[in-house]
Amino acid sequence: MKMPWKHVGRPAQGLGTKDFIMATNMVVEQPQPAQVVQNSQEWGTGIFDCLDDLRSCCFAYWCFPCFACMTSRDFGEHLCLPLLDVFGGLIPPITLAIRVSMRHRYGIQGSIPLDCVFSIFCGICSWCQMSREIKRRKLPVVVIATKNA
């Protein structure tokens, strides 16, 4: 913050402290509100961004069936639905279906072939990404109203 000083009436050589008056104009800049874009058309995190939520990823790694069931429940589907993946063969049908459903619900761009690849080869990472997305989308957005002078 700059302190503007005004000179009162004397030459510059013999100036004393009483010879200056501090101006009373003060400019304060308020921080502007920032909004996190939660309705973007892309996933909030990448498929391998497990370090963004290490606790959930560790839970998924050590007890994957429980993690998938809880994520399914958080998404609004039946708690035990992911357990049906064991009957799916090569492509886990529930993982694929929930991933596609999540993309459609949140308006995330992507394709079913890419969802298939992630469901087959990166099942745990795919469920972790879906869990992070659910948490991210459920966060409330706080916007503070400010007035510019």
Side-chain angles (χ1 to χ4, degrees), residues 86-122:
V86 297
F87 301 112
L90 178 64
I91 299 173
I94 305 305
T95 302
L96 178 62
I98 290 181
R99 187 172 176 86
V100 170
S101 176
M102 187 172 292
R103 277 194 315 100
H104 285 275
R105 180 182 294 178
Y106 295 144
I108 299 171
Q109 293 178 346
S111 65
I112 292 178
L114 190 59
D115 291 332
C116 271
V117 169
F118 288 143
S119 297
I120 294 169
F121 298 108
C122 311

Short mmCIF file of all heavy atoms in Angstrom, two decimals, residues 86-122:
data_model
loop_
_atom_site.label_atom_id
_atom_site.label_comp_id
_atom_site.label_asym_id
_atom_site.label_seq_id
_atom_site.Cartn_x
_atom_site.Cartn_y
_atom_site.Cartn_z
N VAL A 86 -18.79 -60.15 -11.74
CA VAL A 86 -18.14 -61.46 -11.82
C VAL A 86 -18.80 -62.36 -12.86
O VAL A 86 -18.18 -63.31 -13.34
CB VAL A 86 -18.12 -62.18 -10.44
CG1 VAL A 86 -17.31 -61.40 -9.44
CG2 VAL A 86 -19.52 -62.44 -9.93
N PHE A 87 -20.04 -62.06 -13.25
CA PHE A 87 -20.74 -62.86 -14.25
C PHE A 87 -20.59 -62.30 -15.65
O PHE A 87 -21.18 -62.82 -16.59
CB PHE A 87 -22.24 -62.95 -13.91
CG PHE A 87 -22.51 -63.56 -12.57
CD1 PHE A 87 -23.03 -62.79 -11.54
CD2 PHE A 87 -22.21 -64.89 -12.32
CE1 PHE A 87 -23.26 -63.34 -10.30
CE2 PHE A 87 -22.44 -65.46 -11.08
CZ PHE A 87 -22.97 -64.68 -10.06
N GLY A 88 -19.78 -61.27 -15.82
CA GLY A 88 -19.72 -60.57 -17.10
C GLY A 88 -18.73 -61.10 -18.10
O GLY A 88 -18.80 -60.75 -19.27
N GLY A 89 -17.79 -61.91 -17.72
CA GLY A 89 -16.79 -62.37 -18.67
C GLY A 89 -15.68 -61.36 -18.85
O GLY A 89 -15.20 -60.76 -17.88
N LEU A 90 -15.29 -61.10 -20.10
CA LEU A 90 -14.17 -60.21 -20.38
C LEU A 90 -14.47 -58.76 -20.02
O LEU A 90 -13.66 -58.08 -19.40
CB LEU A 90 -13.79 -60.31 -21.87
CG LEU A 90 -12.65 -59.39 -22.32
CD1 LEU A 90 -11.36 -59.78 -21.61
CD2 LEU A 90 -12.47 -59.46 -23.81
N ILE A 91 -15.63 -58.28 -20.44
CA ILE A 91 -16.00 -56.88 -20.17
C ILE A 91 -16.88 -56.84 -18.93
O ILE A 91 -17.95 -57.45 -18.91
CB ILE A 91 -16.75 -56.26 -21.37
CG1 ILE A 91 -15.86 -56.28 -22.61
CG2 ILE A 91 -17.17 -54.84 -21.04
CD1 ILE A 91 -16.57 -55.84 -23.87
N PRO A 92 -16.45 -56.14 -17.88
CA PRO A 92 -17.28 -56.03 -16.68
C PRO A 92 -18.50 -55.14 -16.96
O PRO A 92 -18.36 -53.92 -17.10
CB PRO A 92 -16.35 -55.41 -15.63
CG PRO A 92 -15.25 -54.78 -16.40
CD PRO A 92 -15.16 -55.48 -17.71
N PRO A 93 -19.70 -55.73 -17.08
CA PRO A 93 -20.85 -54.96 -17.55
C PRO A 93 -21.29 -53.85 -16.60
O PRO A 93 -21.71 -52.79 -17.05
CB PRO A 93 -21.95 -56.03 -17.70
CG PRO A 93 -21.55 -57.13 -16.78
CD PRO A 93 -20.06 -57.11 -16.76
N ILE A 94 -21.20 -54.06 -15.31
CA ILE A 94 -21.67 -53.06 -14.36
C ILE A 94 -20.71 -51.87 -14.33
O ILE A 94 -21.14 -50.71 -14.32
CB ILE A 94 -21.86 -53.66 -12.95
CG1 ILE A 94 -22.79 -54.88 -13.01
CG2 ILE A 94 -22.36 -52.62 -11.98
CD1 ILE A 94 -24.15 -54.61 -13.64
N THR A 95 -19.42 -52.15 -14.33
CA THR A 95 -18.43 -51.07 -14.36
C THR A 95 -18.64 -50.22 -15.60
O THR A 95 -18.67 -48.98 -15.52
CB THR A 95 -17.00 -51.64 -14.33
OG1 THR A 95 -16.83 -52.44 -13.16
CG2 THR A 95 -15.96 -50.54 -14.36
N LEU A 96 -18.80 -50.88 -16.74
CA LEU A 96 -19.02 -50.16 -17.99
C LEU A 96 -20.32 -49.36 -17.94
O LEU A 96 -20.35 -48.18 -18.32
CB LEU A 96 -19.03 -51.14 -19.17
CG LEU A 96 -19.30 -50.53 -20.54
CD1 LEU A 96 -18.22 -49.53 -20.91
CD2 LEU A 96 -19.42 -51.63 -21.58
N ALA A 97 -21.39 -49.99 -17.46
CA ALA A 97 -22.70 -49.32 -17.43
C ALA A 97 -22.69 -48.10 -16.51
O ALA A 97 -23.22 -47.04 -16.87
CB ALA A 97 -23.78 -50.30 -16.98
N ILE A 98 -22.07 -48.21 -15.34
CA ILE A 98 -22.05 -47.09 -14.42
C ILE A 98 -21.15 -45.98 -14.96
O ILE A 98 -21.47 -44.79 -14.84
CB ILE A 98 -21.63 -47.53 -13.00
CG1 ILE A 98 -22.77 -48.37 -12.40
CG2 ILE A 98 -21.31 -46.34 -12.11
CD1 ILE A 98 -22.54 -48.86 -11.01
N ARG A 99 -20.05 -46.34 -15.58
CA ARG A 99 -19.16 -45.33 -16.16
C ARG A 99 -19.87 -44.55 -17.28
O ARG A 99 -19.80 -43.32 -17.34
CB ARG A 99 -17.88 -45.99 -16.67
CG ARG A 99 -16.85 -45.00 -17.13
CD ARG A 99 -15.54 -45.70 -17.43
NE ARG A 99 -14.62 -44.73 -17.96
CZ ARG A 99 -13.84 -43.94 -17.23
NH1 ARG A 99 -13.87 -44.01 -15.93
NH2 ARG A 99 -13.03 -43.08 -17.81
N VAL A 100 -20.57 -45.26 -18.15
CA VAL A 100 -21.30 -44.61 -19.24
C VAL A 100 -22.44 -43.76 -18.66
O VAL A 100 -22.66 -42.62 -19.08
CB VAL A 100 -21.84 -45.65 -20.25
CG1 VAL A 100 -22.80 -45.02 -21.24
CG2 VAL A 100 -20.68 -46.31 -20.98
N SER A 101 -23.14 -44.30 -17.67
CA SER A 101 -24.23 -43.56 -17.03
C SER A 101 -23.71 -42.28 -16.38
O SER A 101 -24.36 -41.22 -16.46
CB SER A 101 -24.90 -44.45 -15.98
OG SER A 101 -25.90 -43.75 -15.29
N MET A 102 -22.56 -42.35 -15.74
CA MET A 102 -21.97 -41.18 -15.10
C MET A 102 -21.59 -40.13 -16.14
O MET A 102 -21.82 -38.93 -15.94
CB MET A 102 -20.74 -41.58 -14.28
CG MET A 102 -20.17 -40.44 -13.45
SD MET A 102 -18.87 -40.98 -12.33
CE MET A 102 -19.79 -41.97 -11.18
N ARG A 103 -21.02 -40.57 -17.25
CA ARG A 103 -20.68 -39.61 -18.31
C ARG A 103 -21.92 -38.90 -18.82
O ARG A 103 -21.91 -37.70 -19.03
CB ARG A 103 -19.97 -40.32 -19.46
CG ARG A 103 -18.51 -40.53 -19.26
CD ARG A 103 -17.77 -40.92 -20.53
NE ARG A 103 -18.40 -41.94 -21.35
CZ ARG A 103 -19.11 -41.69 -22.46
NH1 ARG A 103 -19.30 -40.47 -22.87
NH2 ARG A 103 -19.63 -42.68 -23.15
N HIS A 104 -23.01 -39.64 -18.99
CA HIS A 104 -24.25 -39.04 -19.50
C HIS A 104 -24.88 -38.11 -18.45
O HIS A 104 -25.35 -37.03 -18.80
CB HIS A 104 -25.24 -40.11 -19.94
CG HIS A 104 -24.86 -40.74 -21.24
ND1 HIS A 104 -25.20 -40.20 -22.45
CD2 HIS A 104 -24.14 -41.86 -21.51
CE1 HIS A 104 -24.72 -40.96 -23.42
NE2 HIS A 104 -24.07 -41.97 -22.87
N ARG A 105 -24.90 -38.53 -17.20
CA ARG A 105 -25.51 -37.70 -16.15
C ARG A 105 -24.78 -36.39 -15.98
O ARG A 105 -25.38 -35.34 -15.82
CB ARG A 105 -25.52 -38.45 -14.82
CG ARG A 105 -26.16 -37.64 -13.70
CD ARG A 105 -26.13 -38.35 -12.37
NE ARG A 105 -26.97 -39.54 -12.40
CZ ARG A 105 -27.09 -40.37 -11.37
NH1 ARG A 105 -26.44 -40.13 -10.25
NH2 ARG A 105 -27.86 -41.44 -11.46
N TYR A 106 -23.45 -36.43 -16.00
CA TYR A 106 -22.66 -35.23 -15.75
C TYR A 106 -22.27 -34.50 -17.03
O TYR A 106 -21.60 -33.47 -16.98
CB TYR A 106 -21.41 -35.58 -14.95
CG TYR A 106 -21.70 -36.08 -13.56
CD1 TYR A 106 -20.91 -37.06 -13.00
CD2 TYR A 106 -22.76 -35.58 -12.80
CE1 TYR A 106 -21.15 -37.53 -11.71
CE2 TYR A 106 -23.01 -36.04 -11.53
CZ TYR A 106 -22.21 -37.02 -10.98
OH TYR A 106 -22.45 -37.48 -9.71
N GLY A 107 -22.62 -35.05 -18.19
CA GLY A 107 -22.30 -34.38 -19.45
C GLY A 107 -20.82 -34.44 -19.80
O GLY A 107 -20.29 -33.53 -20.42
N ILE A 108 -20.16 -35.52 -19.43
CA ILE A 108 -18.73 -35.68 -19.68
C ILE A 108 -18.55 -36.29 -21.07
O ILE A 108 -19.21 -37.28 -21.41
CB ILE A 108 -18.07 -36.56 -18.61
CG1 ILE A 108 -18.22 -35.91 -17.24
CG2 ILE A 108 -16.62 -36.83 -18.93
CD1 ILE A 108 -17.81 -36.79 -16.08
N GLN A 109 -17.65 -35.71 -21.84
CA GLN A 109 -17.39 -36.25 -23.17
C GLN A 109 -16.61 -37.55 -23.06
O GLN A 109 -15.85 -37.77 -22.12
CB GLN A 109 -16.60 -35.25 -24.00
CG GLN A 109 -17.37 -34.00 -24.34
CD GLN A 109 -16.54 -33.01 -25.13
OE1 GLN A 109 -15.34 -33.12 -25.22
NE2 GLN A 109 -17.22 -32.04 -25.72
N GLY A 110 -16.77 -38.39 -24.03
CA GLY A 110 -16.07 -39.67 -24.06
C GLY A 110 -16.75 -40.59 -25.04
O GLY A 110 -17.63 -40.19 -25.80
N SER A 111 -16.34 -41.85 -25.01
CA SER A 111 -16.93 -42.82 -25.92
C SER A 111 -17.04 -44.17 -25.22
O SER A 111 -16.31 -44.46 -24.27
CB SER A 111 -16.07 -42.96 -27.18
OG SER A 111 -14.81 -43.51 -26.82
N ILE A 112 -17.96 -44.98 -25.70
CA ILE A 112 -18.14 -46.31 -25.11
C ILE A 112 -16.90 -47.18 -25.34
O ILE A 112 -16.49 -47.89 -24.42
CB ILE A 112 -19.43 -46.97 -25.65
CG1 ILE A 112 -20.63 -46.20 -25.10
CG2 ILE A 112 -19.50 -48.44 -25.24
CD1 ILE A 112 -21.97 -46.70 -25.57
N PRO A 113 -16.25 -47.14 -26.52
CA PRO A 113 -15.02 -47.95 -26.66
C PRO A 113 -13.93 -47.57 -25.63
O PRO A 113 -13.28 -48.45 -25.07
CB PRO A 113 -14.55 -47.65 -28.08
CG PRO A 113 -15.80 -47.28 -28.81
CD PRO A 113 -16.64 -46.56 -27.82
N LEU A 114 -13.78 -46.28 -25.37
CA LEU A 114 -12.80 -45.86 -24.37
C LEU A 114 -13.22 -46.31 -22.97
O LEU A 114 -12.38 -46.76 -22.18
CB LEU A 114 -12.61 -44.34 -24.41
CG LEU A 114 -11.46 -43.78 -23.60
CD1 LEU A 114 -10.13 -44.36 -24.05
CD2 LEU A 114 -11.43 -42.27 -23.70
N ASP A 115 -14.52 -46.23 -22.69
CA ASP A 115 -15.02 -46.73 -21.41
C ASP A 115 -14.77 -48.22 -21.28
O ASP A 115 -14.46 -48.72 -20.18
CB ASP A 115 -16.51 -46.42 -21.25
CG ASP A 115 -16.79 -44.94 -21.09
OD1 ASP A 115 -15.91 -44.21 -20.58
OD2 ASP A 115 -17.90 -44.50 -21.47
N CYS A 116 -14.92 -48.96 -22.37
CA CYS A 116 -14.63 -50.41 -22.37
C CYS A 116 -13.17 -50.67 -22.02
O CYS A 116 -12.87 -51.53 -21.19
CB CYS A 116 -14.91 -51.01 -23.74
SG CYS A 116 -16.58 -51.59 -23.96
N VAL A 117 -12.28 -49.93 -22.64
CA VAL A 117 -10.85 -50.11 -22.39
C VAL A 117 -10.54 -49.85 -20.91
O VAL A 117 -9.85 -50.64 -20.25
CB VAL A 117 -10.00 -49.19 -23.30
CG1 VAL A 117 -8.55 -49.16 -22.86
CG2 VAL A 117 -10.12 -49.64 -24.74
N PHE A 118 -11.07 -48.75 -20.37
CA PHE A 118 -10.82 -48.44 -18.96
C PHE A 118 -11.45 -49.47 -18.03
O PHE A 118 -10.87 -49.83 -17.02
CB PHE A 118 -11.33 -47.04 -18.61
CG PHE A 118 -10.51 -45.93 -19.20
CD1 PHE A 118 -11.11 -44.77 -19.64
CD2 PHE A 118 -9.14 -46.03 -19.30
CE1 PHE A 118 -10.37 -43.74 -20.18
CE2 PHE A 118 -8.37 -45.01 -19.84
CZ PHE A 118 -8.99 -43.86 -20.28
N SER A 119 -12.62 -49.97 -18.38
CA SER A 119 -13.30 -50.96 -17.54
C SER A 119 -12.57 -52.29 -17.54
O SER A 119 -12.51 -52.97 -16.51
CB SER A 119 -14.74 -51.17 -18.02
OG SER A 119 -15.48 -49.99 -17.90
N ILE A 120 -12.00 -52.68 -18.67
CA ILE A 120 -11.31 -53.97 -18.77
C ILE A 120 -9.92 -53.91 -18.16
O ILE A 120 -9.55 -54.73 -17.33
CB ILE A 120 -11.20 -54.43 -20.24
CG1 ILE A 120 -12.59 -54.72 -20.80
CG2 ILE A 120 -10.31 -55.65 -20.37
CD1 ILE A 120 -12.61 -54.92 -22.31
N PHE A 121 -9.11 -52.93 -18.59
CA PHE A 121 -7.71 -52.91 -18.22
C PHE A 121 -7.38 -52.06 -16.99
O PHE A 121 -6.31 -52.23 -16.41
CB PHE A 121 -6.86 -52.42 -19.41
CG PHE A 121 -6.96 -53.33 -20.58
CD1 PHE A 121 -7.66 -52.96 -21.72
CD2 PHE A 121 -6.37 -54.59 -20.56
CE1 PHE A 121 -7.76 -53.79 -22.80
CE2 PHE A 121 -6.47 -55.44 -21.65
CZ PHE A 121 -7.17 -55.05 -22.77
N CYS A 122 -8.26 -51.16 -16.62
CA CYS A 122 -8.00 -50.27 -15.48
C CYS A 122 -9.22 -50.19 -14.58
O CYS A 122 -9.68 -49.11 -14.22
CB CYS A 122 -7.66 -48.86 -15.97
SG CYS A 122 -6.42 -48.80 -17.26
#
